[in-house]
Amino acid sequence: MSKDYGADQIQILEGLEAVRKRPGMYIGSTSSRGLHHLVYEIVDNAVDEALAGYCTQIDVSVNQDGSVTVIDNGRGIPVEINKKKGVSSVEVVFTILHAGGKFGGGGYKVSGGLHGVGASVVNALSNWLEVVVDLDGKSYKQRYERGRAVMPLTEIGTSDRTGSTVTFLPDDTIFEETVFDYDILKERLRETAFLTKGLKITLTDKREDQEKTKTFHYEGGIKEYVQYLNKGRTALYPEIIYCEGKKDETYVEVAIQHNDTYTESCYSFVNNIITPEGGTHFTGFKNALTKTFNAYARQMKYLKENEQPLSGEDIREGISAIISIKLPEPQFEGQTKQKLGNSEARSAVENVVSEQLTYFLEQNPAVGKLVCEKAVLAQRARDAARKARELTRRKTALDSTALPGKLADCSDKDPKNCEIFIVEGNSAGGSAKNARSRATQAILPLRGKILNVEKSRLDKVLVNAEIKAMITAFGTGIHDEFDITKLRYHKIIIMTDADVDGAHIATLMLTFLYRFMPELIKQGYVYLAQPPLYKIEKNKQVWYAYNDDELNRILLEIGRDNNNKIQRYKGLGEMDAEQLWDTTMDPEKRILHRVMIDEEKSSEIDVTFTTLMGDDVDPRREFIEANAKFVKNLDIY
Ligand code: TSJ
């Protein structure tokens, strides 16, 4: 290695500096999210090796010192000296921005992280990084610190395997958070394994005394992903509809299975990256589905000649589907660059799905019949719901005091200043009405448990009294008529008891909002209130504790003695108006948790809600007691 800094060397250092100066440009953020993207970025390189057909297993471990190791059994990153750069190909991969994929062989880089950045970015943002390459009977190693090689690639011994091993410790001067979360890595690696059939991925956490390991290996690929989405739901038919094909340079894979619910769970991916906003590939899928099922329904007379065609939504009622395509040069559009723009993707998916779905329906008429019958019912329910809405609209027009009777509204009419508390139970509702600040806080008490919308179609949801009250109070309307600009309160606060039943009711309300008014959550208008669990009194002084740790801290501070009076609140109803104001409603003192959705994790949130709302009580109890997964995926803070 030459000691003097040539033009190449300067270019490398400038590249690394650029990444360290503006890390967000390369990995999105320096929060926990960006931190985890470092792992995906390295893993994606190994996935590319699997897609090229040379790697069958990837092992990821979180080490005791907080670093992460990724090992694959591929060919090994090429070690020969790169003629142009004068250093090994390994060093090129880890030090030159956007290198990777193109060297050596023909193929194109297929998988990729959020911004399609390379190993060099991970290197630049790591305290240190070590790479070991095993090939041709030898083992090579190189170490970098803050992105700079501290030695050239060096032969360190012999080896009877081939593959690449990368270990890195994220730079704690760059990341706000440097502790890897096992569950976050687990969900993403599960998804990667579903999307790459046959590839075995393991995850091991070596940080605690008890090592944790999980293996993901799906021979069925996205077919098993769809089964996973329908886990906890009842499938309408046992088969998984599967379409696969290639048109020009676009490889298309689609898996579909309907279930007996009314929600649509479609997730689309491009080069293994989720596209939360869909795009041309998703449009192609929807077009093919609508066209093919309508033609089939007419042909089989499930739809009479004089009847309206089935809408896409009717056909997608209760559908679970994965659309996964791979193409050489994806173009992402839209504000967040999450929407696929390539027009060739639309025609590729449309052609593959139309052709193979038509064939599937010919071979499986029983499936065709079930889906068409469900879609016809959906069409009728949709008509009925529309008529019911028109009726209420007319009533509303006549009667301007249409707000629900139970609502104690606030006097301020500027939504920005206003909040609405959705309160469980009439007694708590009474205290809340007395406690509130009338100008800006509205109270809507709900009676007992609200309808489980996971099991109801729109028309049934719309006649439920508790839900109707919420919709009218919010002012936004629902479904096709939803209009967020009409929202009457910029904070919707769900306030339930701090016990298992309260958590269940909060979950039911969140499910309703998530399924029917997702924009409210996406735009950050929904909150959970946090009432205290304990009241501690000593010598006329009062403290409130919101969890057991806090209780212990307070007791330690004031001393555990007989003068202490500890009350455990079983419900909001046990507090008088003043206490409720002081602990839970006063904007100056209260704790509010904003409910947010991480779009990248939407398929996992979907499964979480289904599991929570299913017939099986055990998962719900576990969840409510642990509460961990929910908080993580929904990013409640
Ligand atoms: F990105 C990375 F460097 F960090 C990294 C790359 C990390 C990990 C865990 C694995 C890999 C990686 C790269 N695994 N396998 C490969 N393969 C190649 O780089 C490779 C090998 C041979 C040929 C060839 O044409 O002979 C081409 C390539 C791209």
Side-chain angles (χ1 to χ4, degrees):
M1 198 170 76
S2 63
K3 277 262 181 272
D4 62 319
Y5 279 18
D8 281 347
Q9 191 64 19
I10 289 166
Q11 203 190 338
I12 288 172
L13 295 177
E14 280 175 349
L16 293 176
E17 241 356 271
V19 177
R20 291 176 60 84
K21 236 188 216 138
R22 311 183 67 182
M25 293 270 292
Y26 299 87
I27 47 154
S29 77
T30 52
S31 65
S32 162
R33 195 171 174 164
L35 178 79
H36 290 87
H37 268 290
L38 299 179
V39 181
Y40 313 152
E41 188 50 50
I42 297 297
V43 169
D44 284 345
N45 282 281
V47 171
D48 282 342
E49 186 73 354
L51 291 170
Y54 300 101
C55 160
T56 57
Q57 183 163 344
I58 301 173
D59 301 299
V60 179
S61 47
V62 185
N63 306 312
Q64 281 196 324
D65 62 358
S67 64
V68 164
T69 300
V70 181
I71 310 178
D72 75 15
N73 65 350
R75 292 167 291 182
I77 308 168
V79 297
E80 78 280 338
I81 300 297
N82 180 297
K83 287 206 181 65
K84 247 174 67 197
K85 306 283 176 186
V87 296
S88 69
S89 296
V90 171
E91 189 167 336
V92 171
V93 168
F94 283 98
T95 56
I96 297 183
L97 279 181
H98 294 293
K102 277 280 183 205
F103 61 89
Y108 49 80
K109 182 171 161 61
V110 155
S111 74
L114 185 62
H115 303 277
V117 295
S120 58
V121 170
V122 178
N123 189 21
L125 301 176
S126 291
N127 225 311
W128 55 264
L129 180 148
E130 289 183 355
V131 52
V132 174
V133 173
D134 293 295
L135 52 74
D136 294 341
K138 295 185 186 111
S139 199
Y140 301 84
K141 182 174 176 174
Q142 187 168 32
R143 181 181 163 94
Y144 307 82
E145 287 170 9
R146 307 228 150 138
R148 301 182 191 201
V150 294
M151 59 175 199
L153 185 71
T154 310
E155 198 182 312
I156 54 164
T158 60
S159 174
D160 55 9
R161 71 183 290 273
T162 69
S164 310
T165 304
V166 174
T167 303
F168 65 97
L169 182 72
D171 191 330
D172 59 357
T173 64
I174 288 180
F175 290 94
E176 294 142 45
E177 170 71 72
T178 49
V179 181
F180 287 103
D181 183 308
Y182 182 79
D183 290 327
I184 292 177
L185 293 174
K186 187 180 79 184
E187 303 306 353
R188 172 63 182 247
L189 293 177
R190 187 206 317 274
E191 182 179 283
T192 305
F194 275 133
L195 292 168
T196 320
K197 62 178 162 224
L199 175 63
K200 186 166 166 185
I201 303 181
T202 70
L203 171 65
T204 306
D205 194 338
K206 298 180 174 169
R207 287 171 301 186
E208 272 145 53
D209 303 342
Q210 203 57 46
E211 207 175 280
K212 269 192 288 190
T213 296
K214 191 113 187 134
T215 302
F216 302 109
H217 184 199
Y218 307 108
E219 282 305 337
I222 63 169
K223 280 188 260 185
E224 287 191 60
Y225 201 163
V226 165
Q227 272 169 341
Y228 175 76
L229 290 175
N230 277 343
K231 178 189 82 172
R233 294 167 169 161
T234 307
L236 208 60
Y237 42 84
E239 297 86 350
I240 305 281
I241 305 173
Y242 180 70
C243 312
E244 181 189 16
K246 200 166 176 210
K247 193 176 165 241
D248 302 323
E249 288 305 296
T250 309
Y251 170 69
V252 178
E253 237 191 320
V254 172
I256 308 166
Q257 187 185 46
H258 287 77
N259 58 67
D260 70 353
T261 74
Y262 311 101
T263 40
E264 190 180 322
S265 304
C266 296
Y267 298 97
S268 58
F269 298 84
V270 176
N271 297 350
N272 280 11
I273 308 165
I274 191 157
T275 39
E277 287 170 45
T280 46
H281 57 329
F282 190 47
T283 306
F285 163 74
K286 289 192 289 187
N287 290 349
L289 202 71
T290 309
K291 199 179 66 184
T292 309
F293 271 108
N294 265 299
Y296 184 77
R298 292 268 188 226
Q299 182 200 332
M300 303 299 285
K301 308 264 188 288
Y302 298 130
L303 201 59
K304 311 266 157 19
E305 265 157 50
N306 61 346
E307 285 178 310
Q308 286 287 314
L310 299 165
S311 74
E313 260 186 283
D314 296 332
I315 295 160
R316 294 194 306 277
E317 186 188 89
I319 202 173
S320 290
I322 299 292
I323 299 97
S324 173
I325 72 161
K326 303 209 166 76
L327 81 176
E329 282 179 32
Q331 304 292 322
F332 292 99
E333 296 179 340
Q335 273 189 336
T336 50
K337 296 266 177 264
Q338 290 180 325
K339 197 172 168 181
L340 187 69
N342 305 52
S343 62
E344 71 270 23
R346 182 182 320 125
S347 55
V349 179
E350 205 170 317
N351 289 353
V352 169
V353 175
S354 297
E355 188 192 304
Q356 295 185 27
L357 181 59
T358 303
Y359 178 74
F360 177 91
L361 293 175
E362 279 166 16
Q363 301 295 310
N364 300 271
V367 175
K369 184 163 188 262
L370 285 165
V371 176
C372 289
E373 283 171 355
K374 184 169 169 66
V376 167
L377 286 180
Q379 187 184 49
R380 284 183 200 148
R382 213 176 293 283
D383 280 344
R386 198 195 60 241
K387 285 189 185 118
R389 273 205 306 274
E390 279 166 4
L391 213 65
T392 38
R393 217 182 2 254
R394 239 171 288 142
K395 265 198 237 150
T396 321
L398 292 174
D399 173 14
S400 62
T401 57
L403 286 171
K406 292 186 298 180
L407 174 74
D409 207 5
C410 50
S411 53
D412 196 321
K413 291 295 170 232
D414 182 353
K416 279 201 285 301
N417 305 330
C418 298
E419 32 189 69
I420 182 167
F421 286 82
I422 316 283
V423 188
E424 142 200 23
N426 282 333
S427 67
S431 301
K433 280 183 191 178
N434 292 328
R436 74 196 173 115
S437 158
R438 286 170 179 272
T440 55
Q441 296 183 320
I443 309 292
L444 181 66
L446 295 184
R447 221 178 320 105
K449 302 217 163 174
I450 73 163
L451 181 75
N452 181 350
V453 299
E454 197 70 20
K455 296 204 157 91
S456 330
R457 210 175 241 148
L458 184 66
D459 55 332
K460 205 172 135 206
V461 170
L462 289 180
V463 297
N464 179 271
E466 311 299 312
I467 286 177
K468 267 202 319 216
M470 275 197 271
I471 300 170
T472 10
F474 295 167
T476 53
I478 193 168
H479 203 62
D480 333 327
E481 291 169 349
F482 181 82
D483 181 356
I484 199 141
T485 64
K486 298 211 175 107
L487 183 63
R488 299 177 61 247
Y489 314 90
H490 279 194
K491 285 199 175 74
I492 295 169
I493 303 169
I494 298 171
M495 186 161 73
T496 57
D497 292 345
D499 63 3
V500 174
D501 281 340
H504 187 199
I505 292 164
T507 316
L508 287 165
M509 288 182 197
L510 281 177
T511 310
F512 163 67
L513 296 173
Y514 176 72
R515 293 289 186 215
F516 290 89
M517 301 175 154
E519 280 306 308
L520 291 183
I521 299 183
K522 284 182 194 164
Q523 301 206 18
Y525 293 123
V526 180
Y527 298 80
L528 294 174
Q530 190 176 338
L533 275 181
Y534 302 100
K535 178 184 176 190
I536 306 107
E537 259 183 287
K538 185 181 179 176
N539 307 333
K540 298 251 156 68
Q541 248 189 300
V542 177
W543 292 263
Y544 296 102
Y546 292 83
N547 54 49
D548 289 330
D549 285 348
E550 238 172 47
L551 173 69
N552 291 330
R553 197 156 11 95
I554 292 167
L555 289 178
L556 216 66
E557 213 168 280
I558 64 173
R560 283 174 206 265
D561 58 51
N562 295 337
N563 295 332
N564 292 342
K565 235 174 60 198
I566 304 172
Q567 182 190 355
R568 191 189 154 109
Y569 286 122
K570 290 194 198 68
L572 297 166
E574 288 179 22
M575 278 183 267
D576 61 29
E578 198 190 331
Q579 290 171 336
L580 194 59
W581 169 257
D582 278 345
T583 60
T584 318
M585 294 175 68
D586 179 357
E588 302 287 318
K589 296 194 224 148
R590 71 191 177 193
I591 304 172
L592 279 190
H593 303 275
R594 183 185 254 172
V595 181
M596 306 223 304
I597 295 176
D598 186 340
E599 298 259 23
E600 274 185 40
K601 293 184 205 147
S602 46
S603 80
E604 201 47 46
I605 295 174
D606 194 351
V607 171
T608 304
F609 271 117
T610 304
T611 317
L612 288 177
M613 294 299 115
D615 296 324
D616 206 351
V617 289
D618 283 343
R620 183 158 54 242
R621 187 176 315 125
E622 266 167 40
F623 160 76
I624 288 165
E625 280 164 12
N627 218 345
K629 188 175 183 185
F630 188 52
V631 170
K632 234 165 249 156
N633 280 335
L634 281 172
D635 220 350
I636 297 172
Y637 62 86

